[in-house]
């Protein structure tokens, strides 16, 4: 028998039982829409999360924290690692900003201006500055958005050129007055490790070590690998070179760990959504079993005129395949349409389901496979019917 | 040279819920090529079982059936399907047409099983329908046809694959006398004009006049074989017994 003949016979049979067929197709559509959207939302969340993480925590960087402090000698060691492009130190200190309206706690961050984009996850210094300059020197500082404007109302509180008086408690408590050379754009909350960049004041390290700190040590060193592919190797060498009190942290490793978690979550979502596919497969099994009973005599006729057992088996499997193919393709099309309409707010991101080619393939293949397996038993029963008994069946 | 169909000591024993039923008890006879053989006998005499065994729908418990020098009882299921598709054609009392298909599509069925291309099988199915006088009813569904027409569609389906042996099981059993006559005329034409070998199972004794030879079955055994000219004797014997 030819493939086109199986299709013709299967379609004719399904058309005759159109109510049952429509029910089964609808079942497949609903299950596929649920599966596609669940996997699509999971995929979308994973992509958004990874992008955000990579943007925030440079994927080719390794962070070394130390409460005691890391020295210029440590920095030199890190810079000498073969696959390292550069390394820079950052020191941050919690200070009090003296304001006519009161005292506010902010973070004073000592960092070379050129490393600010790397540290804050922006592409360039121009992208960081809302107003003024980024060329910090002496007591000229860049202030975060929460410092120069009211976080609630957005009202501008400070301008470029104005002074800022802060209280520092490193060693002997003292007051220092900075002047503002630049106003930073809002970065959206906690992006840099261990601090809120919007509630920070950025100062040039030389000024910090001259006027505020006694010892030239860094709380944090960021080692930048030549390529994100080298991060794993560089991390091992950094660990070997770091003093015992240092904690080494790789954003790439963290991103991978979170990605594994999100993938697991996506798999669970997929498995839960697959319950629908299982229910549909049971429906197809039930429908096929009834069909075999109702068409027992017809099977006898087909066998009497020369249809082989294999032909009967494939005929029933073809019916299940037709239901599954129509249902799953329609389901994926509906899921794609819905994904373009529906937006889901999750953890501050607005997600839409991303129906990737692999999700499409899985959403089509899974119901086909499940329904073929479900219809195998009734199809085998039909194929093994004795023709004489089948012809006599009332 | 051996006969076209050879039935040798064929037994068929069923186990019906622990009860042994002997449907055939050593039936033996031959059928020559081009013969129109009638098989008569009362209900339960084993006529249909015999036909099913010759047609490869059933297997004998014991004995041998040879058709065109092929031992049917030794064929595998796959080979039996081929045998049913290419060597024999069946006509049943209940017509057994598939209601959702047109007459033409029903007739095409054996050719679909054989993998014949669509255009060719359509042409051959139309020829078969014309041969049974239903060329103009090709696109009617079974429920739009009379009983006689449905049976003629079933005959067209049986002959569309150009079988060598036509097996008819009570083909007029569900028909009025006019329709029965038209169906029997089709059998006669197929036998006389196309040389098709036919085995007709019936309990309608009026049909024996269409046959070249008649086998009388009783209790699963061949009671007697009658040739043309001996039918009066058979009829009086059988009707006398009733």
């Amino acid at each position: 028998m030819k493939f086109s003949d199986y299709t013709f016979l299967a379609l004719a049979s399904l058309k005759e039982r159109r109510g049952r067929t429509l029910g089964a197709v609808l079942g497949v559509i609903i299950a596929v829409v649920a599966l596609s959207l669940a996997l699509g939302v999971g995929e979308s969340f994973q992509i958004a999360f990874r992008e955000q993480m990579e943007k925030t925590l440079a994927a080719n960087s390794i962070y070394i924290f130390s409460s005691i402090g890391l020295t210029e000698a440590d920095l030199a060691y890190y810079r000498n690692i073969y696959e390292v492009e550069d390394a820079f130190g950052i020191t941050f200190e919690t200070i009090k900003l003296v304001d006519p309206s009161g005292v506010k706690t902010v973070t004073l961050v000592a960092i070379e201006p050129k490393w600010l984009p790397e540290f804050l996850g922006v592409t360039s210094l121009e992208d960081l500055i809302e107003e003024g300059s980024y060329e910090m020197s002496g007591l000229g500082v860049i202030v975060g958005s929460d410092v120069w404007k009211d976080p609630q109302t957005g009202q501008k509180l400070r301008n470029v050129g104005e002074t800022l008086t802060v209280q520092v408690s490193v060693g002997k408590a003292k007051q220092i007055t900075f002047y503002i050379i630049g106003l930073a754009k809002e970065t959206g909350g906690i992006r840099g490790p261990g601090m809120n960049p919007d509630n920070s004041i950025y100062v040039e390290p030389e000024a910090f070590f001259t006027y505020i700190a006694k010892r030239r040590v860094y709380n944090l060193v960021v080692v930048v690998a030549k390529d994100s592919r080298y991060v794993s190797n560089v991390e091992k060498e950094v660990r070997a070179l770091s003093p015992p009190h240092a904690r080494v942290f790789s954003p790439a490793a963290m991103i991978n760990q979170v990605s594994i978690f999100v993938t697991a979550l996506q798999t669970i979502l997929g498995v839960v959504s697959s319950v629908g596919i299982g229910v549909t497969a049971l429906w197809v099994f039930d429908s096929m079993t009834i069909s075999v009973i109702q068409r027992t005599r017809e099977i006898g006729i087909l066998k009497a005129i020369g249809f082989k057992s294999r032909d009967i088996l494939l005929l029933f499997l073809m019916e299940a395949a037709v239901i599954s193919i129509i249902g799953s393709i329609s389901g994926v099309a509906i899921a794609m349409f819905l994904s373009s309409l529906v937006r889901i707010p999750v953890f501050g991101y607005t997600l839409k389901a991303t129906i990737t080619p692999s999700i499409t393939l899985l959403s089509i293949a899974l119901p086909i496979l499940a329904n073929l397996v479900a219809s195998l038993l009734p199809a085998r029963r039909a194929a093994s019917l004795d023709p004489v008994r089948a012809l006599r069946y009332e | 040279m051996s006969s076209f169909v050879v039935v040798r000591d064929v037994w068929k024993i069923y186990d019906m819920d622990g009860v042994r039923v002997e449907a055939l008890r050593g039936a033996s006879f031959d059928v020559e090529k081009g013969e129109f053989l009638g098989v008569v006998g009362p209900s339960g005499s084993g006529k249909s079982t015999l036909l099913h065994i010759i047609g490869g729908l059933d297997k004998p418990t014991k004995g041998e059936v040879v058709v065109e020098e092929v031992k049917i009882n030794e064929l595998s299921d796959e080979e039996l399907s081929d045998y049913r598709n290419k060597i024999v054609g069946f006509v049943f009392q209940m017509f057994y047409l598939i209601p959702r298909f047109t007459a033409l599509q029903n007739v095409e069925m054996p050719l679909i099983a054989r993998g014949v291309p669509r255009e060719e099988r359509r042409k051959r199915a139309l020829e078969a329908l014309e041969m049974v006088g239903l060329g103009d009813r090709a696109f009617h569904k079974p429920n739009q046809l009379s009983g006689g027409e449905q049976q003629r569609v079933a005959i067209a389906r049986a002959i569309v694959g150009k079988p060598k042996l036509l097996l008819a099981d009570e083909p007029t059993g569900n028909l009025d006398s006019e329709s029965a006559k038209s169906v029997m005329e089709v059998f006669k034409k197929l036998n006389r004009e196309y040389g098709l070998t036919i085995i007709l199972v019936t309990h309608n004794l009026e049909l024996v006049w269409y046959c070249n030879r008649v086998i009388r079955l009783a209790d699963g055994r061949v009671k007697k074989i009658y040739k043309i000219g001996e039918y009066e004797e058979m009829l009086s014997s059988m009707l006398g017994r009733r």
Side-chain angles (χ1 to χ4, degrees):
Chain A
M1 257 180 85
K2 293 178 174 171
F3 180 79
S4 57
D5 295 329
Y6 285 116
T7 313
F8 160 68
L9 294 175
L11 285 174
S13 165
L14 292 172
K15 195 178 159 195
E16 191 183 39
R17 298 175 293 124
R18 56 178 74 86
R20 198 169 281 278
T21 303
L22 196 65
V25 169
L26 270 177
V28 175
I29 289 175
I30 292 166
V32 168
V33 168
L35 179 67
S36 306
L37 289 181
L39 293 178
V41 168
E43 183 75 18
S44 182
F45 181 69
Q46 185 159 30
I47 292 168
F49 189 82
R50 181 176 272 273
E51 275 176 2
Q52 191 66 22
M53 291 286 282
E54 283 176 353
K55 199 172 148 193
T56 307
L57 307 166
N60 61 338
S61 300
I62 293 149
Y63 293 74
I64 305 111
F65 295 93
S66 172
S67 53
I68 297 169
L70 295 156
T71 62
E72 286 292 340
D74 294 318
L75 269 174
Y77 283 133
Y78 299 141
R79 284 188 185 117
N80 276 333
I81 298 171
Y82 177 66
E83 288 146 332
V84 167
E85 187 179 298
D86 209 340
F88 61 96
I90 302 159
T91 294
F92 35 89
E93 195 65 49
T94 303
I95 57 169
K96 288 192 167 57
L97 176 60
V98 182
D99 202 81
S101 59
V103 176
K104 184 183 179 188
T105 303
V106 296
T107 309
L108 184 63
V109 183
I111 183 170
E112 290 283 351
K114 69 169 183 171
W115 292 115
L116 265 173
E118 179 77 27
F119 181 60
L120 295 175
V122 291
T123 45
S124 66
L125 279 164
E126 284 79 7
D127 284 344
L128 178 71
I129 300 299
E130 176 85 26
E131 193 183 323
S133 165
Y134 48 78
E135 287 171 359
M136 299 182 290
S137 64
L139 294 171
V141 294
I142 296 170
V143 293
S145 63
D146 287 359
V147 179
W148 64 265
K149 66 177 179 184
D150 189 312
Q152 264 80 47
T153 63
Q155 192 193 348
K156 199 170 183 184
L157 303 173
R158 293 184 171 84
N159 285 303
V160 174
E162 286 182 11
T163 56
L164 280 175
T165 303
V166 301
Q167 285 180 355
V168 292
S169 51
V170 182
K172 202 175 179 182
K174 57 187 167 189
Q175 280 201 346
I176 294 176
T177 300
F178 293 113
Y179 63 95
I180 302 170
I181 61 131
L183 307 179
K185 285 179 183 170
E186 189 174 338
T187 58
I190 296 169
R191 293 162 76 107
M195 35 88 59
N196 177 359
D198 290 339
N199 193 37
S200 298
I201 296 170
Y202 301 94
V203 63
E204 201 265 326
E206 285 306 319
F208 182 86
F209 293 121
T210 306
Y211 300 110
I212 296 165
K214 297 274 185 212
R215 292 171 58 228
R216 196 179 184 86
V217 290
Y218 302 100
N219 305 123
L220 169 68
V221 167
V222 179
V223 174
V224 182
K226 285 177 180 164
D227 192 286
S228 54
R229 288 172 297 165
Y230 305 138
V231 166
S232 177
N233 282 346
V234 171
E235 187 188 346
K236 282 178 198 157
E237 294 206 40
V238 164
R239 280 185 192 282
L241 290 171
S242 295
H245 51 79
R247 284 185 295 117
V248 178
F249 161 76
S250 158
M254 195 184 107
I255 291 168
N256 279 340
Q257 286 300 311
V258 175
S259 285
I260 290 167
F261 169 74
V262 174
T263 303
L265 202 67
Q266 194 182 10
T267 307
I268 291 166
L269 270 176
V271 169
V272 171
S273 305
S274 300
V275 170
I277 304 267
V279 171
T280 310
L282 281 175
W283 169 278
V284 169
F285 169 79
D286 184 51
S287 177
M288 285 294 165
T289 305
I290 293 169
S291 178
V292 170
I293 293 166
Q294 286 175 339
R295 291 159 65 193
T296 299
R297 187 179 277 183
E298 181 186 317
I299 294 162
I301 299 167
L302 295 177
K303 285 199 157 186
I305 61 177
F307 279 68
K308 296 180 170 70
S309 297
R310 188 185 61 231
D311 295 332
I312 307 288
L313 179 92
L314 290 175
L315 203 52
F316 278 88
L317 291 181
M318 180 58 91
E319 288 181 23
V322 168
I323 288 172
S324 313
I325 290 167
I326 294 173
S328 54
I329 290 176
S330 310
V332 167
I334 292 169
M336 281 177 169
F337 174 70
L338 288 178
S339 71
S340 67
L341 293 182
V342 181
R343 297 282 186 278
I344 306 159
V346 183
F347 302 138
Y349 310 121
T350 301
L351 300 180
K352 64 168 198 161
T354 307
I355 315 284
T356 60
S358 59
I359 291 175
T360 303
L361 194 68
L362 183 72
S363 300
I364 291 174
L366 196 63
I368 293 175
L369 188 70
N371 292 343
L372 284 179
V373 169
S375 57
L376 194 59
L377 200 66
R380 284 181 67 173
R381 193 179 155 202
S384 64
L385 278 175
D386 175 67
V388 175
R389 284 189 184 185
L391 284 170
R392 284 180 183 153
Y393 184 80
E394 294 292 335
Chain B
M1 197 176 126
S2 63
S3 300
F4 181 56
V5 179
V6 179
V7 177
R8 281 286 165 271
D9 191 27
V10 168
W11 287 72
K12 183 67 187 180
I13 301 163
Y14 295 105
D15 183 3
M16 308 272 271
D17 298 326
V19 180
R20 180 185 159 98
V21 177
E22 293 177 344
L24 288 173
R25 298 197 284 183
S28 296
F29 61 90
D30 294 353
V31 185
E32 298 306 324
K33 204 169 180 72
E35 199 175 355
F36 193 153
L37 178 80
V39 179
V40 296
S43 293
S45 58
K47 304 185 297 288
S48 293
T49 303
L50 182 65
L51 205 69
H52 291 154
I53 289 172
I54 295 171
L57 280 175
D58 208 349
K59 288 192 171 182
T61 310
K62 204 175 93 177
E64 186 177 87
V65 176
V66 182
V67 176
E68 218 182 18
E69 297 181 352
V70 175
K71 286 184 183 174
I72 306 309
N73 48 303
E74 290 178 359
L75 295 180
S76 66
D77 283 350
E78 185 104 343
E79 289 166 333
L80 277 175
S81 296
D82 270 340
Y83 167 75
R84 291 195 293 266
N85 185 251
K86 291 174 183 161
I87 308 296
V88 296
F90 279 101
V91 179
F92 300 97
Q93 181 180 354
M94 305 293 289
F95 324 138
Y96 290 150
L97 299 177
I98 300 174
R100 65 174 165 275
F101 294 129
T102 62
L104 185 70
Q105 288 169 330
N106 267 286
V107 176
E108 282 183 61
M109 283 293 165
L111 302 181
I112 288 178
R114 206 183 285 186
V116 175
R118 191 167 178 271
E119 288 309 314
E120 192 192 331
R121 72 176 188 240
R122 181 153 282 221
K123 182 172 154 267
R124 284 170 64 176
L126 269 172
E127 282 170 7
L129 279 170
E130 275 160 13
M131 202 181 278
V132 297
L134 286 176
D136 57 336
R137 312 287 269 172
F139 298 99
H140 287 65
K141 289 200 170 171
N143 62 1
Q144 297 168 318
L145 301 171
S146 69
E149 287 174 329
Q150 287 188 52
Q151 192 59 297
R152 281 189 282 153
V153 172
I155 295 171
R157 183 180 63 189
I159 61 169
V160 73
K162 299 197 184 339
K164 293 174 179 168
L165 176 63
L166 187 65
L167 303 172
D169 188 2
E170 304 277 12
T172 60
N174 265 4
L175 302 178
D176 59 69
S177 57
E178 271 306 302
S179 301
K181 193 178 169 205
S182 72
V183 164
M184 287 312 295
E185 286 302 322
V186 172
F187 282 132
K188 188 172 148 187
K189 180 178 159 189
L190 291 171
N191 178 247
R192 306 256 165 95
E193 292 181 22
Y194 300 96
L196 186 61
T197 309
I198 300 174
I199 301 178
L200 169 78
V201 161
T202 182
H203 65 266
N204 182 353
L205 297 177
E206 287 175 22
L207 304 186
V208 298
W209 301 108
Y210 288 93
C211 304
N212 309 129
R213 208 154 55 102
V214 175
I215 289 174
R216 189 176 153 202
L217 276 185
D219 302 324
R221 294 193 182 94
V222 176
K223 195 87 173 168
K224 193 169 178 185
I225 299 176
Y226 298 91
K227 294 178 193 151
I228 293 174
E230 297 172 346
Y231 295 168
E232 292 286 358
E233 175 204 337
M234 178 188 74
L235 291 174
S236 59
S237 152
M238 289 181 75
L239 294 172
R241 280 183 63 142
R242 285 181 188 176

